[in-house]
């Protein structure tokens, strides 16, 4: 089962390597990882989605993260209400006659065409993981040439 954890850390070099090393050393897979500065440039916010087969593994991850000296707080969103979003950029096959079809799709999802050249369009979309999955199924009908995702961002 996938769990979402946020970690406030000191914004110093090597912190990301120490957090990633913790997961690697214990054999925990990181499904997605997003890191950015907060309002305080000395503090960074990590959103980590991790595979944990049971509560004991998740508890162990939280305890190990809290032991790292650069970690300020750890929040496990597993049993909390929170908002999550992910940004997707996709390069798809495109012709001018596809525009109305894409507009219908983007009326259902938060997205738009950000560039189109010749037979290709780059689209962006934001949504939770279910919305992104549904959007990618729709975009798949056009033929996805390339895809990049930010990973989940979460806040309560």
């Amino acid at each position: 089962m996938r769990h979402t954890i946020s970690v406030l850390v000191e914004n110093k070099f090597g912190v990301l390597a120490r957090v990633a090393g913790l997961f690697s050393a214990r054999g925990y897979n990181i499904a997605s990882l997003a890191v950015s500065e907060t309002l305080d440039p000395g503090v960074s916010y990590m959103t980590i989605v991790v595979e944990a087969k049971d509560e004991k593994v998740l508890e162990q991850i939280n305890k190990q993260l809290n032991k790292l000296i650069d970690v300020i707080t750890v929040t496990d969103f597993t049993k909390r209400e929170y908002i999550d979003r992910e940004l997707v950029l996709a390069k798809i096959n495109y012709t001018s006659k596809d525009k109305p079809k894409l507009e219908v799709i983007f009326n259902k999802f938060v997205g738009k065409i950000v560039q189109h050249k010749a037979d290709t369009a780059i689209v962006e979309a934001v949504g939770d993981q279910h919305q992104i999955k549904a959007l990618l199924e729709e975009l798949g009908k056009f033929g996805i040439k390339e895809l990049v995702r930010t990973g989940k961002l979460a806040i309560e």
Side-chain angles (χ1 to χ4, degrees), residues 135-148:
L135 173 68
L136 293 178
E137 288 175 10
E138 293 288 331
L139 293 178
K141 297 172 186 171
F142 296 88
I144 299 174
K145 295 179 169 182
E146 191 175 339
L147 176 72
V148 290

Side-chain angles (χ1 to χ4, degrees), residues 98-115:
D98 292 329
K99 189 173 182 179
K101 295 176 193 169
L102 283 171
E103 288 175 348
V104 169
I105 291 170
F106 290 135
N107 282 336
K108 293 192 310 189
F109 303 98
V110 179
K112 65 181 179 183
I113 298 171
V114 291
Q115 182 184 68

Side-chain angles (χ1 to χ4, degrees), residues 31-49:
S32 77
L33 170 67
V35 183
S36 66
E37 282 186 357
T38 63
L39 291 174
D40 177 353
V43 176
S44 291
Y45 186 91
M46 295 181 173
T47 304
I48 304 170
V49 178

Side-chain angles (χ1 to χ4, degrees), residues 3-149:
H3 300 273
T4 303
I5 301 168
S6 72
V7 185
L8 276 179
V9 297
E10 294 183 30
N11 186 7
K12 298 190 299 192
F13 81 93
V15 173
L16 177 59
R18 284 187 281 282
V19 170
L22 180 152
F23 282 83
S24 174
R26 286 155 184 83
Y28 304 139
N29 185 41
I30 296 174
S32 77
L33 170 67
V35 183
S36 66
E37 282 186 357
T38 63
L39 291 174
D40 177 353
V43 176
S44 291
Y45 186 91
M46 295 181 173
T47 304
I48 304 170
V49 178
V50 62
E51 302 274 352
K53 56 186 169 192
D54 58 43
E55 290 290 322
K56 288 182 181 178
V57 171
L58 188 61
E59 185 180 320
Q60 187 66 23
I61 290 170
N62 288 330
K63 284 181 180 175
Q64 294 297 317
L65 284 169
N66 277 306
K67 287 182 181 177
L68 293 177
I69 195 161
D70 301 311
V71 170
I72 300 166
T73 61
V74 177
T75 303
D76 174 7
F77 289 118
T78 302
K79 295 178 181 170
R80 296 174 180 224
E81 277 193 40
Y82 66 98
I83 302 293
D84 67 275
R85 294 292 182 268
E86 183 174 6
L87 171 68
V88 172
L89 293 173
K91 189 181 292 183
I92 62 172
N93 295 319
Y94 176 82
T95 63
S96 58
K97 68 180 180 183
D98 292 329
K99 189 173 182 179
K101 295 176 193 169
L102 283 171
E103 288 175 348
V104 169
I105 291 170
F106 290 135
N107 282 336
K108 293 192 310 189
F109 303 98
V110 179
K112 65 181 179 183
I113 298 171
V114 291
Q115 182 184 68
H116 63 89
K117 292 182 178 174
D119 63 345
T120 301
I122 297 174
V123 299
E124 71 176 17
V126 176
D128 65 29
Q129 299 218 321
H130 299 292
Q131 293 167 324
I132 296 298
K133 182 180 177 188
L135 173 68
L136 293 178
E137 288 175 10
E138 293 288 331
L139 293 178
K141 297 172 186 171
F142 296 88
I144 299 174
K145 295 179 169 182
E146 191 175 339
L147 176 72
V148 290
R149 301 170 70 159

